[in-house]
Amino acid sequence: MATDVIDLITKDHRTVEGLFQRLKNKEGDQQAVVAELHALLIAHSRAEEDRVYPDIDAHHSFEEHKEIEILLDALMRAEPGTKQFDRTLGKLTKSVDRHVQEEESKVLPKLAKSVSKKRLEDLGRAFKKRRAEELEALSAQARTGSRSPAGRLGRHAGRSPG
């Protein structure tokens, strides 16, 4: 089982791309796919912010994550099959694609060059654990219909990354 943080992050990126493809192709229950996309992107972002970005200069990524969260919330509110849903999905896909491209071409290679293999594995374990905690919290919120006030958009307001 892969524990290298770069492998884990890129695996999540491929999963997200697959979910976008399902939404674009209108495969399956669209609301369920949106909920899965929402949970994975939020958990992934928070795990990166809390466990990976402190090791590198990733100021841009915090702003990109905030933009993605805003678009995710808009997609969650939009009705599948409507123009609003399709427009929001297009904006979200573009934003995530841009973020992934930059992360995979610049941020992750920089990380790979700047830390040891052991550190990449340590970061991978921390990332995986943090992501699992977020997924569990999001799942619990979905079951109860509540949202944690600290877990929404204002989470990083006024916080300087790294």
Side-chain angles (χ1 to χ4, degrees), residues 15-46:
T15 300
V16 165
E17 289 166 356
L19 292 171
F20 278 137
Q21 199 60 46
R22 287 178 59 198
L23 289 169
K24 288 178 189 173
N25 293 340
K26 300 181 182 353
E27 297 172 7
D29 178 344
Q30 297 290 276
Q31 288 180 321
V33 176
V34 169
E36 183 179 352
L37 177 68
H38 181 271
L40 178 58
L41 280 174
I42 297 296
H44 175 93
S45 295
R46 292 179 186 163

Side-chain angles (χ1 to χ4, degrees), residues 50-91:
D50 294 347
R51 300 297 185 258
V52 181
Y53 291 171
D55 273 40
I56 55 177
D57 180 23
H59 296 279
H60 74 280
S61 297
F62 281 93
E63 291 306 312
E64 289 172 357
H65 285 173
K66 184 176 178 180
E67 176 186 337
I68 288 167
E69 281 197 37
I70 291 168
L71 290 168
L72 272 170
D73 284 346
L75 189 64
M76 290 284 287
R77 291 188 307 271
E79 184 68 32
T82 64
K83 288 182 181 182
Q84 180 63 35
F85 183 89
D86 292 341
R87 271 194 304 271
T88 304
L89 178 60
K91 289 177 186 177

